[in-house]
Amino acid sequence: MDEKNATFTILANGPLEITGFFRIADSAGKIIEKKGPVLLCRCGESANKPFCDDSHKRIGFSE
Amino acid sequence: MNDPRNRQYTNSEITVFWKPSKCIHATTCFRELIEVFNPGRRPWVNMKGSTTRRISEVVNKCPTQALIWKYNKDLSESEKLAQREVSKEEENPQTLGKPSPEKNPLVKPVNVRIMKDGPIVVEGKFRILGKDGIELNSSQMTSFCRCGNSKDMPYCDGIHRKIGFTDEPF
């Protein structure tokens, strides 16, 4: 498997981890982050959306 | 600020953080514990050189914040992620002359779109790893839940609209 292919890892009760070769854009298509790896909020409570700020721990997020 | 020269070194219990920009070269670390802190070696910190207790003791003696330590259970998600990236690099060191994906036209970046007040939409060729690293099925386009309330986790099921999920920090 080519290591550089983008890989999305669902961290249990935590963020979405993206590694490899990818591009992130907002809904308008404007690039907001290009270099990996990143952690994206999945609990909905981050004060730094779309990125994880460990709020899932504070709220005890459980999927 | 994220200085690219910053490093972290770990054993099973603690992680030592090194910030070269803060170092005043007091030499306390290697005078106390050369088995772990040896500037003549690469990498210069060897976490197997002594016990956790002794390492944390010496790190506490650093006169600046160039060396600090944390229990691994207290690491933030970003710090844990940086750890995984370091381990991958150590297992698969990049050799010189290997073409980077940006220069190789055959490797296309996967497009990740953060929908306003909505899911993360991904298009392209990618892998999804779920619990215990088990690979999940993915199609060419996948939406991941961002509101935390989908009944179809990790995927979006549209509930973000009903609950009024927004990007605004509160």
Side-chain angles (χ1 to χ4, degrees):
Chain A
M1 173 68 67
D2 182 356
E3 270 177 33
K4 303 211 172 63
N5 269 348
T7 300
F8 295 74
T9 305
I10 320 285
L11 299 179
N13 305 321
L16 175 66
E17 175 192 288
I18 314 180
T19 56
F21 191 33
F22 62 92
R23 270 200 294 247
I24 302 190
D26 62 18
S27 21
K30 182 176 144 211
I31 307 276
I32 55 177
E33 174 98 17
K34 215 168 130 177
K35 304 248 176 221
V38 297
L39 296 168
L40 299 182
C41 172
R42 287 201 311 130
C43 75
E45 300 292 317
S46 171
N48 187 27
K49 290 197 197 76
F51 304 107
C52 171
D53 71 351
D54 283 332
S55 286
H56 58 278
K57 284 192 193 158
R58 177 175 51 82
I59 65 163
F61 174 61
S62 167
E63 53 192 309
Chain B
M1 79 191 138
N2 279 325
D3 186 335
R5 295 174 306 151
N6 289 350
R7 294 285 180 272
Q8 47 191 77
Y9 308 95
T10 193
N11 62 17
S12 57
E13 293 169 287
I14 62 170
T15 294
V16 172
F17 294 85
W18 159 237
K19 292 190 175 146
S21 58
K22 299 195 182 220
C23 181
I24 60 168
H25 303 289
T27 71
T28 310
C29 54
F30 70 82
R31 282 186 293 111
E32 291 266 353
L33 196 56
I34 189 89
E35 300 88 341
V36 174
F37 302 102
N38 185 348
R41 184 186 54 211
R42 287 281 176 277
W44 77 284
V45 178
N46 171 23
M47 295 296 282
K48 294 183 180 155
S50 187
T51 62
T52 293
R53 184 172 156 161
R54 185 73 184 115
I55 294 173
S56 57
E57 199 173 68
V58 173
V59 168
N60 287 343
K61 292 187 182 185
C62 174
T64 66
Q65 297 275 293
L67 282 174
I68 59 170
W69 67 271
K70 270 191 187 180
Y71 284 111
N72 288 343
K73 62 176 169 67
D74 295 331
L75 294 177
S76 70
E77 293 293 350
S78 312
E79 286 163 349
K80 285 189 217 163
L81 174 61
Q83 207 91 279
R84 289 197 284 277
E85 289 301 300
V86 167
S87 312
K88 268 193 222 163
E89 247 178 65
E90 283 167 5
E91 282 174 38
N92 301 298
Q94 299 295 315
T95 55
L96 286 173
K98 204 169 182 184
S100 69
E102 284 89 345
K103 294 183 186 137
N104 181 350
L106 295 177
V107 180
K108 289 207 167 93
V110 164
N111 283 320
V112 179
R113 258 189 318 169
I114 314 286
M115 304 312 289
K116 181 168 166 42
D117 307 333
I120 301 162
V121 178
V122 187
E123 282 178 274
K125 188 178 168 198
F126 53 92
R127 305 165 71 203
I128 307 180
L129 301 176
K131 263 191 220 173
D132 306 321
I134 298 193
E135 188 141 0
L136 305 175
N137 286 332
S138 73
S139 49
Q140 285 290 98
M141 185 185 270
T142 302
S143 289
F144 293 105
C145 171
R146 275 212 301 144
C147 76
N149 289 280
S150 168
K151 296 281 179 283
D152 190 24
M153 280 296 210
Y155 307 111
C156 170
D157 71 353
I159 200 151
H160 55 278
R161 293 245 178 109
K162 260 198 204 163
I163 64 170
F165 169 70
T166 65
D167 278 305
E168 250 71 64
F170 39 89

